[in-house]
Amino acid sequence: MSSFATFYTAWGDQLQQLLRQLCSAPKPPSTQDHLHQLNHLVNKLLSHYSEYYRVKAAATERDVLDVFAAPWASSFEKSFHWIAGWRPTTVFHLVYTESSILFESHMVDILRGFRTGDLGDLSPTQLRRVSELQCETVKEENGITDELSEWQHSVSDLMGASTDVDEMMGRLATVVGKADDLRLRTLKRVVELLSPQQAIEFLIAAAELQLGIREWGMDQDRQSNLG
């Protein structure tokens, strides 16, 4: 097992522990202490994701093809991959889905003017800024996809006697680095647009999705190996 695979397993276990802390956080916050607690948890989660990408960057520099193959991930997890990880725009689908679910559950109260303060109660300004960020992210995502396509089209150069394989792997590592930077930056920028309570709810949904996909995928792989 590679060092990153060991890290990934431990990182996922820590994410599960942090998820339990998020779920037990006071929502909505009724005191300044509660608000401070929510902010602390949000920063804790973002630091956890930052650590993941810091370690992944080092692994990418060592062996970018291993990071692309992602032997530490289940087959189901890898089916969602875009350039060695999740698509940054997935964040926006998650925000809209969670917001819609919560809005419908509180629709009568919201229409009566009662503010719930959760993800179902996003303000017009928040919705506009999320939409603007989504457009920016789609543009960046498409640009990185084009860079990967250019790299793939240059694979014929590998047949040349003077091909610098290290240089080609370095270019691929740069593409992965840009994708990971966009993933983390998008996550942080979405959180910045939300209130502490909304950020907690969003991070809970993101962690549950990631852990749920991993657990189901690992279970499917185990069943396939038994068969």
Side-chain angles (χ1 to χ4, degrees), residues 199-215:
I200 289 288
E201 292 167 344
F202 164 69
L203 290 170
I204 286 174
E208 287 180 339
L209 177 64
Q210 183 172 358
L211 292 169
I213 287 175
R214 177 164 177 74
E215 183 180 350

Side-chain angles (χ1 to χ4, degrees), residues 41-160:
L41 285 172
V42 168
N43 290 330
K44 203 171 178 180
L45 255 292
L46 292 180
S47 293
H48 191 58
Y49 282 111
S50 295
E51 174 69 0
Y52 171 81
Y53 288 110
R54 185 190 68 77
V55 176
K56 186 182 176 187
T60 301
E61 189 174 343
R62 286 194 304 272
D63 189 345
V64 64
L65 295 181
D66 187 55
V67 169
F68 249 93
W72 45 82
S74 69
S75 300
F76 188 56
E77 285 176 275
K78 286 186 276 192
S79 72
F80 291 96
H81 279 186
W82 166 84
I83 312 184
W86 52 271
R87 278 188 175 273
T89 45
T90 303
V91 165
F92 302 100
H93 297 300
L94 193 58
V95 169
Y96 293 135
T97 298
E98 291 299 309
S99 179
S100 176
I101 291 172
L102 288 170
F103 176 81
E104 289 179 7
S105 66
H106 303 313
M107 184 162 47
V108 174
D109 290 333
I110 292 174
L111 292 177
R112 287 176 176 172
F114 178 72
R115 312 301 299 184
T116 60
D118 59 21
L119 270 178
D121 193 19
L122 293 173
S123 70
T125 299
Q126 284 178 308
L127 288 170
R128 187 189 74 250
R129 292 177 67 188
V130 168
S131 179
E132 291 170 349
L133 181 57
Q134 181 179 16
C135 292
E136 293 175 23
T137 305
V138 167
K139 186 176 180 179
E140 284 196 66
E141 194 178 273
N142 289 340
I144 297 171
T145 299
D146 290 342
E147 287 189 46
L148 178 62
S149 295
E150 289 174 12
W151 183 89
Q152 291 169 331
H153 290 154
S154 70
V155 71
S156 58
D157 296 341
L158 287 173
M159 304 303 294

